[in-house]
Amino acid sequence: QVQLVESGGGLVQAGGSLRLSCAASGLTFSRYVMGWFRQAPGKEQEFVAAISWSGGSTYYADGVKGRFTISRDNAKNTVHLLMNSLKPEDTAVYYCAARRSYVPDVSPRVYDYWGQGTQVTVSS
């Protein structure tokens, strides 16, 4: 049974930082593209970042480039999202997702497994 468990969310002031983690089990982690998505109240789910199998390629939504960094540790089956210079508009539930492919994608529809989400709230 595949499980993705996010952690690290919380309340932070604008300009602050948070580091989200996602622990994966029940899958061959190194053969999955990993992604982070988020959903704010009343809005559609949106792509945040993705990382290739090896971690050698990363992809970011325009709104988070230069502020967020995705990374993975295949030995520990974990993926992280370091979020710096947080803004109130980053407030959302953040989801970790896994895709059985070597091709990262921005569409949530092509990801195979999802975590339960972790809340990030940025106060102004």
Side-chain angles (χ1 to χ4, degrees), residues 5-10 18 20-22 35-40 45-49 64 67-68 81 83 86-97 114-122:
V5 180
E6 301 97 335
S7 61
L18 282 174
L20 305 184
S21 297
C22 173
W36 286 96
F37 292 80
R38 66 187 181 187
Q39 187 166 21
Q45 193 174 50
E46 65 174 355
F47 170 76
V48 176
V64 307
R67 300 190 297 123
F68 291 11
L81 184 69
M83 306 185 294
L86 282 162
K87 305 175 181 179
E89 51 263 44
D90 294 318
T91 295
V93 177
Y94 283 71
Y95 297 91
C96 169
W114 292 84
Q116 81 288 351
T118 186
Q119 176 71 46
V120 171
T121 303
V122 185

Side-chain angles (χ1 to χ4, degrees), residues 32-54:
Y32 280 77
V33 162
M34 298 301 295
W36 286 96
F37 292 80
R38 66 187 181 187
Q39 187 166 21
K43 295 188 177 181
E44 292 188 353
Q45 193 174 50
E46 65 174 355
F47 170 76
V48 176
I51 189 166
S52 62
W53 287 1
S54 68

